[in-house]
């Protein structure tokens, strides 16, 4: 018997899946797959793989937005090809996408290209903001991550253990970190 299957994804562990899962349940999904992982690649997305293995002919995969399924056009097309092979339709709640029609497929492909384009644009904006903050020099609000180890601790471990590698191991940090701390 065909089912409405829901798939929800957020990029980080601090984000919440509730809005998506509530929308999918409200749309009539009887089975939900959800995960907290980046969508820039399909590798390592266990719930996506479980969902793709689970769906059967006649099922309707339902998502809230296209970028929840994939962030690159090649990945999106690959996922859709797998769905089509199985006779599974795709429905997107927030964007008028229904892959049973030629118009719906075209809309789906256009939105997939936009989702792919959005990631590098967002990264470029973020980099511009960081560069602008760093250009302020010592007055910059962007200080980077605070040091987690003190120079005195590294020097003491080096004296006790005799080598930078042994000091790094004893402190639970990388050898590169030992060099960086000693150079500061």
């Amino acid at each position: 018997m065909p089912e409405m299957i829901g798939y929800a994804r957020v990029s980080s562990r601090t984000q919440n899946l509730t809005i998506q899962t509530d929308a999918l349940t409200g749309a009539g999904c009887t089975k939900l797959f959800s995960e907290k992982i980046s969508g820039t690649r399909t590798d390592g997305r266990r719930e996506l793989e479980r969902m793709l293995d689970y769906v059967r002919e006649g099922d309707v995969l339902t998502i809230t937005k296209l970028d929840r399924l994939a962030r690159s056009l090649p990945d999106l097309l690959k996922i859709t090809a797998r769905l089509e092979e199985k006779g599974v339709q795709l429905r997107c709640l927030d964007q008028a996408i229904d892959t049973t029609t030629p118009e719906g497929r075209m809309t789906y492909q256009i939105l997939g290209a936009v989702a792919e384009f959005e990631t590098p644009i967002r990264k470029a904006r973020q980099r511009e903001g960081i560069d602008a903050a760093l250009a302020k020099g010592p007055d910059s609000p962007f200080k980077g991550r605070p040091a987690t180890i003190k120079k005195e601790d590294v020097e003491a471990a080096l004296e006790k253990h005799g080598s930078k590698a042994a000091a790094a191991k004893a402190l639970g940090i990388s050898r590169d970190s030992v060099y960086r701390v000693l150079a500061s």
Side-chain angles (χ1 to χ4, degrees), residues 129-148:
I130 291 169
D131 290 345
L134 289 173
K136 294 179 180 178
D139 296 330
S140 171
F142 184 76
K143 305 286 187 210
R145 190 175 75 190
T148 57

Side-chain angles (χ1 to χ4, degrees), residues 19-58:
I19 293 171
Q20 289 180 58
T21 56
D22 287 351
L24 295 169
T25 304
C29 293
T30 54
K31 175 91 173 152
L32 294 179
F33 294 86
S34 62
E35 58 192 336
K36 294 183 176 191
I37 189 168
S38 172
T40 55
R41 295 178 37 202
T42 56
D43 298 344
R45 291 174 58 192
R46 290 188 183 115
E47 289 300 299
L48 174 66
E49 280 304 316
R50 281 188 58 231
M51 180 273 301
L52 291 170
D53 288 341
Y54 180 85
V55 292
R56 301 289 179 255
E57 186 173 349

Side-chain angles (χ1 to χ4, degrees), residues 89-136:
Q89 300 302 319
L90 177 65
R91 180 175 170 218
C92 184
L93 299 178
D94 294 351
Q95 298 149 329
I97 297 174
D98 179 356
T99 60
T100 62
T101 68
E103 295 85 0
R105 277 199 196 119
M106 181 185 72
T107 302
Y108 149 81
Q109 290 175 346
I110 290 169
L111 290 174
V114 169
E116 179 177 14
F117 183 69
E118 180 184 13
T119 299
I121 294 296
R122 186 183 65 248
K123 285 180 181 178
R125 283 194 309 260
Q126 182 181 20
R127 182 78 250 164
E128 287 172 4
I130 291 169
D131 290 345
L134 289 173
K136 294 179 180 178

